[in-house]
Amino acid sequence: MDKSLKFNLKRPHQLFALGFGTGLAPKAPGTVGTLAALPFIFATMTLPVWFQVSLAVLMTIFGIWVCGKTARDVNVHDHPAIVWDEVVGFYITMIGAAISWQSLIVGFVLFRFFDIAKPGPIRMLDKKLHGGRGIMADDVLAGIFSLICVQALFKTGVLGG
C-alpha cells in the first residue's frame, strides 16, 4: 500500500470508506475490512429480513458516494484501503441467516472467495463500472452470491439446522 497517500479518518466519508480504519491494515486490508461488518450484522440479526435488506440498500447507496469520493480524494480507483464495499458485501451475505460462529465463518469464507475470485458476472461488473458504482457493484454481487450459498447450505441442513 502506498503510504504517501493522505487518508484522513477525521473526514466522515473516509472514515466509512476505510471501514472505520480497518482498511489501513498493513496486510490483507480487504479481509480485515470485511470484519467491520460484524457490528452491523450483530445489531440487526434479530430484526426482520425486510429491515436487513433495506439497510443493505441504504449502505450500498451510501457506499457509492463515500467510496467514490474517497477514491477521488486520493486519485486511485478502488484503492485497497477502501473497504466499505467489503463491509456491505459481507453484511449482504449474512442477511436472514441464523447467526452462529459456523454461519459467520462459512459466510466470511464464501464472501472472500467470490470477492477475490470474481467469477463470471462479478468480474464483468468489476471491469465495466467505474467510480463509486464500480467499487461497490462487484462486492454487492459477491455478497448476493454468498447469501444464496449460505442460505442453501444452512436452510437445507447441509451445514446445520
Side-chain angles (χ1 to χ4, degrees), residues 12-32:
H13 68 282
Q14 288 193 16
L15 177 69
F16 282 94
L18 302 177
F20 311 104
T22 58
L24 297 174
K27 300 274 191 214
T31 299
V32 175

Side-chain angles (χ1 to χ4, degrees), residues 1 7-25 28-40 59 62-63 66-68 70-71 78-90 135-136:
M1 188 178 330
F7 290 113
N8 183 351
L9 294 176
K10 291 181 181 176
R11 300 183 78 188
H13 68 282
Q14 288 193 16
L15 177 69
F16 282 94
L18 302 177
F20 311 104
T22 58
L24 297 174
T31 299
V32 175
T34 300
L35 297 173
L38 290 173
F40 296 98
M59 291 170 73
F62 179 68
V66 299
C67 293
T70 300
D78 207 358
H79 188 281
I82 298 173
V83 296
W84 184 255
D85 50 331
E86 277 85 7
V87 172
V88 175
F90 186 38
I135 294 170
M136 291 298 299

Side-chain angles (χ1 to χ4, degrees), residues 98 100 102-103 106-107 149-161:
S100 66
Q102 296 97 332
S103 66
V106 169
C149 292
V150 166
Q151 292 297 319
L153 290 169
F154 286 90
K155 298 287 184 187
T156 62
V158 171
L159 289 177

Side-chain angles (χ1 to χ4, degrees), residues 87-157:
V87 172
V88 175
F90 186 38
Y91 181 78
I92 290 169
T93 298
M94 301 311 296
I95 289 174
I99 303 299
S100 66
W101 67 267
Q102 296 97 332
S103 66
L104 286 167
I105 290 172
V106 169
F108 181 85
V109 169
L110 283 167
F111 173 69
R112 291 307 296 149
F113 167 76
F114 284 117
D115 185 31
I116 294 166
K118 297 190 187 323
I122 298 171
R123 175 168 284 128
M124 183 188 70
L125 280 178
D126 188 50
K127 290 183 183 210
K128 296 214 183 252
L129 296 177
H130 304 287
R133 286 184 11 209
I135 294 170
M136 291 298 299
D138 63 310
D139 292 83
V140 167
L141 190 54
I144 292 168
F145 281 20
S146 302
L147 164 75
I148 292 166
C149 292
V150 166
Q151 292 297 319
L153 290 169
F154 286 90
K155 298 287 184 187
T156 62

